[in-house]
Amino acid sequence: MPDSTRREAEDRVRDSEEGSVSLPDLGDSIDAVTFEQILEMDDEEDDREFSRSIVFGFFEQAEQTFKKMDDALKEKDLAQLSSLGHFLKGSSATLGLTKVKDSCEKIQHYGQMKDEEGTADEPDEAKCLERIKATLVAVKEEYAEVEKVLKKFYGS
Amino acid sequence: MRSIDEAFEVFTPVPTVLLDATFHIIQVSASFLALNHLKSGECLGVNIYDLVKSRALVPDPAALQVVLEKAISTKNVYTTSSDQAADRFATSLRAMPIFEQDALLYVLLEVQEASARHERRNAINDQLDTNDTYRVLVDTVKDYAIFMLDTRGNVRTWNAGAQLLKGYKPDEIIGKHFSIFYGEDDITNEKPRRELEICLRDGKVEDESWRYKKDGSKFWANVTITCVVRQGVHIGFSKVTRDLTERKAAESRVVAAYEESAKLKSAFLANTSHEIRTPLHGMLSALTLLMDTSLTPEQRELGSIIEESGSVLLQVINDILDYSKLSSGAFSISTDISVSVPSLITSVVRSIQPALKPGVELGTSLDLNLPTTALGDPLRYRQVVQNLVANAVKFTESGSIDIHASLAEEDATSFTIRTEVIDTGIGIKNVAIGSLFAPFTQFDASATKRYKGTGLGLSICKSLAELMGGAISFHPNPKEQGSVFWFTAKLGKFYTANEVDRLSTKLDAQVLSPVPDSLALVRELAPGKRILLAEDNFINQKVMLMMLKGLGFAKVDTVVDGAEAVDRARRNPLFYDIILMDISMPVLDGLGATTQIRELGVDTPIVAMTANAMKEDVASYLAHGMNDYVPKPVDRKVLLKAFLRWLS
């Protein structure tokens, strides 16, 4: 879809809801339509109490999950890594944190001893762990990036 | 200088006696005496027949008589062949009569020991000597190692090919055992010995494996060993060895190239589908938002064209993925999930209703003897039904579409179920019938413009029906214009009264018309409705609660795992109007919870919430007793539609 059309669609969302919100540029790490859905749930735009609690709750959850992933990686516990990947995939998807979500999905698949897409089997356990290790580094960077953007957005 | 008599006696190498015309022995060789453990005094002047009889010598008197009579009557040398000699030594006799005119003067009688090993070696050499043509042929072949082994497996002959291939010169190898060509493992496993045993039993043995050259390098060999029998006696083995190293290397290059390309294809398909699906989902969801705004009729029509084309495109991508999985054999079919054909058909009817053209009726008829539950692969079964019905809907402008399911066959362990889809659509021309189920065909090239699709649907259905132990076919509608597609599938039996009760569902053909302002409708419905939300991730839980609150739902209970959800449903079966169920949860997942809730007899609508929005996953949720699904991240518009379907 051409950019202009997408923007119109997004504009329409904003215009159609009471009190249009002005969003800063969140970059391509965050899906604007999904994140906007969260912002619409705020009673007042000024304090954004609800969305702030969700976003900061997510920060806490993500950091805890990364720590558990590090531990599981040390233990070489693929099943646990997959389950943690799935867990964080759910909440990052809800917030529209596309890159983090995609990486979590990869970890989920690698943990199931599949390829990146979850379509083909990868019988080599060591290879799966190696891929998870690399993806975990990437997802932490992706997370740090959105964390910075979102913290700036919430002015803290 | 010894006398002739003395020389004859001492030095004749072959055991020999010289007889006079009356067959009395006048000369005997030392070798004959040694052979028969006799002294010359016991022989000289004695009739040969008497000697043979009295000392039980070999060969027996009968053979002796034959050889002497033949030699005398033909006046020529005569030899009994070794197979005529019945004794275990396989001894033969050679008689040379000496005549003067017609008067017999002497007979020279020799005893030949065919059983002695050196004789057999000679036999092999004789054979090759006597057949120069073959010897020249064998010797000049350079691509094959052709050589002979004696009965013990020692190398006897060696051709040019053998020398080139294995690197040994004839004088280095002749007399050596052929196990020298084998690797250590083969020798430890006594492979050379076993090969000769098999060869003796079957006459021939063929093997393909590694062999070793003189310099220690190995090559991939095709080896044929044949048992060589001459005049009834096993004299050795012939061995032909070909070097297939190049061919094997070429084969493995081809296999590697094939595997690589299959892998690339699979990766390409997965990547492409992902790359196409992501923007397509974005486009379709933006379009949904657009369609909910106030549009002019013209804009709405254009929008619905985009919507339709978009969903066709999505279907195409899913079909291509399925097809590539089916054609690579990576597709697996379950045989142990409960299948309720009536409820599957109901669910297909429900999902297809909105696509019906005005003036087309969609009806179902189910035979009374149709089992309510069986074991099989509900999602594949549903996929075939869905595809056939969707085709009928696509090609039927007016009239009716009927889905008919019946029990075709039944035995102790399985049902064969036949499902027919009968339409009054445009039908199929005879010419197209043959290629109907071939991939990438549409029955009429001109139809492609009007009826979109990959042409993969029926091909996928055919593969699926066959994987389910059934078949698929087509015939024209016998009553009027149109088509009849039917397929059969074999489903397993199971006998739990509980399950049967749980799964027997009534058919309802509820018609849902598209609603322009779903938000307003849901807000009207919401007050008073009770929702159970099962979601373990508290971020998602909070967002869902807020979203539900925004839609006007005030009574929402939350649980964090499947077991708690089952517990709520058990304590108060009629309390909730709808259950929103996450799939992946601790303790008990959404599928397990749904199964248990259905087993309790609770038929509250259950909507799956999942980030695994693959078509096959979704079908499996429905097969577990869920009614609908909403992909994650939850889009409010999609959620609204689900509420409208299940709460109104």
Side-chain angles (χ1 to χ4, degrees):
Chain A
M1 151 167 65
D3 273 358
S4 58
T5 322
R6 185 185 174 97
R7 213 160 287 135
E8 272 171 33
E10 285 164 17
D11 287 347
R12 201 176 284 277
V13 176
R14 273 165 233 163
D15 296 344
S16 65
E17 297 301 326
E18 62 253 64
S20 133
V21 289
S22 60
L23 263 185
D25 182 15
L26 294 172
D28 61 352
S29 307
I30 303 176
D31 179 57
V33 176
T34 309
F35 187 63
E36 193 134 351
Q37 203 166 257
I38 308 286
L39 294 183
E40 281 165 21
M41 295 175 191
D42 285 330
D43 285 339
E44 291 166 46
E45 259 180 57
D46 297 340
D47 65 354
R48 298 211 167 281
E49 192 192 324
F50 173 74
S51 67
R52 179 191 296 268
S53 77
I54 293 290
V55 167
F56 284 80
F58 174 79
F59 291 162
E60 206 173 297
Q61 187 183 77
E63 274 150 26
Q64 281 168 3
T65 309
F66 289 147
K67 200 179 163 298
K68 285 184 194 163
M69 282 178 173
D70 287 336
D71 293 345
L73 193 61
K74 263 180 225 142
E75 302 286 323
K76 301 187 174 174
D77 187 345
L78 282 172
Q80 172 71 356
L81 284 162
S82 175
S83 155
L84 290 166
H86 180 86
F87 180 75
L88 198 60
K89 177 177 87 170
S91 41
S92 50
T94 296
L95 291 181
L97 309 179
T98 323
K99 283 189 179 171
V100 175
K101 185 207 89 178
D102 288 347
S103 294
C104 287
E105 187 166 49
K106 284 181 199 168
I107 293 176
Q108 184 192 348
H109 290 150
Y110 294 148
Q112 288 162 340
M113 300 187 75
K114 300 267 187 190
D115 67 356
E116 182 179 316
E117 299 291 337
T119 44
D121 288 333
E122 172 52 67
D124 187 346
E125 202 169 297
K127 203 180 266 180
C128 293
L129 284 165
E130 200 48 50
R131 286 175 178 166
I132 289 175
K133 200 173 166 187
T135 313
L136 190 50
V137 172
V139 71
K140 282 178 182 169
E141 282 167 13
E142 288 153 1
Y143 166 74
E145 192 193 326
V146 294
E147 188 192 23
K148 209 169 93 189
V149 172
L150 287 171
K151 279 192 170 163
K152 197 175 154 210
F153 177 73
Y154 286 103
S156 67
Chain B
M1 191 64 187
R2 288 177 192 262
S3 71
I4 290 175
D5 290 357
E6 203 182 57
F8 181 92
E9 192 185 314
V10 178
F11 299 115
T12 305
V14 179
T16 308
V17 287
L18 183 66
L19 308 176
D20 63 12
T22 55
F23 309 132
H24 286 83
I25 298 170
I26 51 176
Q27 287 277 358
V28 58
S29 75
S31 48
F32 183 87
L33 296 175
L35 176 71
N36 293 307
H37 311 290
L38 293 168
K39 295 196 173 76
S40 68
E42 291 173 299
C43 302
L44 293 173
V46 179
N47 183 298
I48 185 73
Y49 284 109
D50 294 341
L51 184 72
V52 166
K53 273 183 215 153
S54 64
R55 305 303 291 249
L57 298 185
V58 289
D60 60 307
L64 186 65
Q65 192 178 351
V66 169
V67 72
L68 291 175
E69 281 174 6
K70 287 266 186 180
I72 294 162
S73 62
T74 57
K75 296 187 184 175
N76 205 340
V77 175
Y78 184 81
T79 309
T80 56
S81 63
S82 50
D83 51 352
Q84 272 176 292
D87 66 286
R88 64 196 168 91
F89 294 104
T91 311
S92 66
L93 292 175
R94 183 170 181 270
M96 181 165 45
I98 300 165
F99 282 88
E100 184 180 34
Q101 309 299 338
D102 284 337
L104 178 69
L105 297 181
Y106 306 104
V107 178
L108 194 67
L109 183 69
E110 294 173 357
V111 181
Q112 296 182 328
E113 264 189 291
S115 67
R117 194 169 297 115
H118 71 271
E119 289 281 340
R120 298 202 194 177
R121 286 180 195 163
N122 288 342
I124 293 173
N125 291 337
D126 284 350
Q127 195 177 35
L128 291 175
D129 285 343
T130 51
N131 203 328
D132 281 346
T133 319
Y134 280 126
R135 199 184 64 189
V136 170
L137 280 176
V138 166
D139 280 352
T140 49
V141 167
K142 291 202 170 131
D143 297 333
Y144 292 74
I146 303 175
F147 52 99
M148 301 285 299
L149 305 177
D150 65 17
T151 49
R152 287 178 164 193
N154 293 322
V155 176
R156 291 297 311 149
T157 70
W158 198 242
N159 78 337
Q163 192 171 335
L164 279 173
L165 181 55
K166 309 212 180 201
Y168 295 96
K169 293 203 170 66
D171 54 345
E172 290 172 328
I173 195 68
I174 286 181
K176 298 260 172 61
H177 194 258
F178 80 112
S179 58
I180 196 167
F181 309 127
Y182 289 72
E184 274 176 30
D185 285 354
D186 284 347
I187 290 172
T188 317
N189 295 330
E190 301 203 303
K191 189 171 176 180
R193 185 180 61 77
R194 281 186 291 119
E195 283 187 345
L196 292 190
E197 277 175 13
I198 295 168
C199 186
L200 274 176
R201 196 184 63 219
D202 300 342
K204 192 176 176 181
V205 64
E206 196 167 348
D207 177 42
E208 212 166 277
S209 56
W210 292 108
R211 293 289 186 280
Y212 292 81
K213 301 187 184 190
K214 186 186 171 190
D215 63 7
S217 61
K218 63 178 180 178
F219 63 99
W220 185 256
N222 171 287
V223 178
T224 307
I225 305 178
T226 314
C227 197
V228 178
V229 176
R230 195 176 169 216
Q231 291 174 324
V233 175
H234 169 231
I235 56 169
F237 303 92
S238 74
K239 199 158 181 262
V240 179
T241 304
R242 270 190 296 166
D243 182 356
L244 297 184
T245 313
E246 252 317 297
R247 198 178 85 185
K248 190 174 166 64
E251 270 170 15
S252 55
R253 278 196 298 274
V254 170
V255 169
Y258 174 78
E259 279 170 358
E260 180 66 19
S261 87
K263 208 171 129 194
L264 284 174
K265 191 177 99 179
S266 138
F268 174 76
L269 277 169
N271 285 334
T272 316
S273 86
H274 182 76
E275 292 304 318
I276 298 174
R277 268 203 257 195
T278 310
L280 190 60
H281 278 136
M283 190 181 102
L284 288 174
S285 45
L287 187 67
T288 313
L289 303 186
L290 182 68
M291 293 293 276
D292 283 343
T293 60
S294 52
L295 297 175
T296 67
E298 198 181 330
Q299 288 169 329
R300 185 167 295 282
E301 197 191 329
L302 290 173
S304 62
I305 292 172
I306 304 175
E307 200 166 35
E308 198 191 321
S309 307
S311 53
V312 169
L313 186 52
L314 200 57
Q315 179 66 42
V316 169
I317 295 164
N318 290 336
D319 277 358
I320 290 175
L321 266 183
D322 275 357
Y323 179 75
S324 73
K325 270 202 239 166
L326 278 167
S327 61
S328 68
F331 216 90
S332 57
I333 285 267
S334 311
T335 53
D336 55 354
I337 302 177
S338 77
V339 180
S340 167
V341 174
S343 54
L344 278 181
I345 291 178
T346 314
S347 136
V348 169
V349 166
R350 189 184 292 124
S351 73
I352 218 118
Q353 280 283 358
L356 274 184
K357 300 193 175 79
V360 180
E361 276 180 37
L362 178 55
T364 52
S365 59
L366 305 174
D367 272 9
L368 288 175
N369 59 0
L370 194 67
T372 46
T373 60
L375 291 172
D377 196 326
L379 61 103
R380 299 303 167 205
Y381 196 95
R382 189 181 197 277
Q383 196 176 344
V384 180
V385 179
Q386 176 95 31
N387 209 301
L388 296 183
V389 177
N391 268 348
V393 168
K394 194 155 77 172
F395 295 113
T396 307
E397 302 291 336
S398 65
S400 65
I401 296 165
D402 284 303
I403 308 169
H404 178 73
S406 59
L407 180 62
E409 265 176 55
E410 182 177 0
D411 62 26
T413 57
S414 71
F415 301 111
T416 301
I417 299 193
R418 181 184 165 105
T419 313
E420 279 183 331
V421 179
I422 305 143
D423 69 49
T424 60
I426 58 175
I428 288 164
K429 288 183 191 129
N430 277 337
V431 286
I433 291 174
S435 59
L436 209 48
F437 296 99
F440 299 107
T441 51
Q442 273 208 334
F443 67 90
D444 183 355
S446 65
T448 323
K449 289 187 189 116
R450 281 178 66 205
Y451 306 104
K452 303 161 209 83
T454 40
L456 281 175
L458 286 176
S459 155
I460 292 170
C461 288
K462 180 169 187 281
S463 303
L464 290 178
E466 284 165 3
L467 279 174
M468 290 190 288
I472 192 164
S473 190
F474 158 85
H475 59 82
N477 190 336
K479 289 183 190 152
E480 49 198 314
Q481 170 82 6
S483 309
V484 178
F485 278 93
W486 61 264
F487 77 98
T488 55
K490 208 172 228 176
L491 301 176
K493 284 189 171 180
F494 77 158
Y495 304 91
T496 318
N498 233 352
E499 295 279 299
V500 177
D501 290 341
R502 160 169 94 72
L503 285 158
S504 56
T505 38
K506 286 179 206 155
L507 285 180
D508 58 335
Q510 187 183 358
V511 185
L512 285 171
S513 51
V515 182
D517 192 358
S518 37
L519 178 61
L521 281 173
V522 170
R523 280 187 171 149
E524 267 173 45
L525 280 171
K529 300 284 186 199
R530 279 181 287 247
I531 297 180
L532 178 62
L533 172 68
E535 165 66 68
D536 68 317
N537 189 316
F538 84 93
I539 301 276
N540 292 345
Q541 208 185 80
K542 273 179 93 168
V543 170
M544 276 308 294
L545 284 173
M546 188 53 98
M547 192 183 277
L548 292 171
K549 194 175 147 197
L551 295 176
F553 292 97
K555 298 167 187 168
V556 182
D557 288 341
T558 316
V559 292
V560 296
D561 65 56
E564 281 187 39
V566 175
D567 194 44
R568 295 284 177 119
R570 182 184 294 119
R571 275 190 289 166
N572 211 339
L574 299 172
F575 190 71
Y576 297 105
D577 295 288
I578 193 164
I579 301 173
L580 301 177
M581 184 85 80
D582 185 19
I583 295 297
S584 169
M585 285 186 289
V587 189
L588 179 64
D589 70 9
L591 296 180
T594 303
T595 306
Q596 290 192 20
I597 290 171
R598 293 300 183 229
E599 273 168 1
L600 293 168
V602 176
D603 59 1
T604 310
I606 300 180
V607 178
M609 293 189 304
T610 167
N612 302 333
M614 296 276 282
K615 184 167 77 179
E616 50 193 55
D617 294 327
V618 170
S620 111
Y621 305 154
L622 300 182
H624 275 81
M626 293 183 149
N627 303 78
D628 208 338
Y629 85 100
V630 172
K632 276 183 182 174
V634 175
D635 181 326
R636 202 177 66 178
K637 312 287 168 183
V638 179
L639 188 64
L640 286 175
K641 295 233 156 117
F643 281 141
L644 284 176
R645 272 197 289 274
W646 300 105
L647 292 178
S648 37

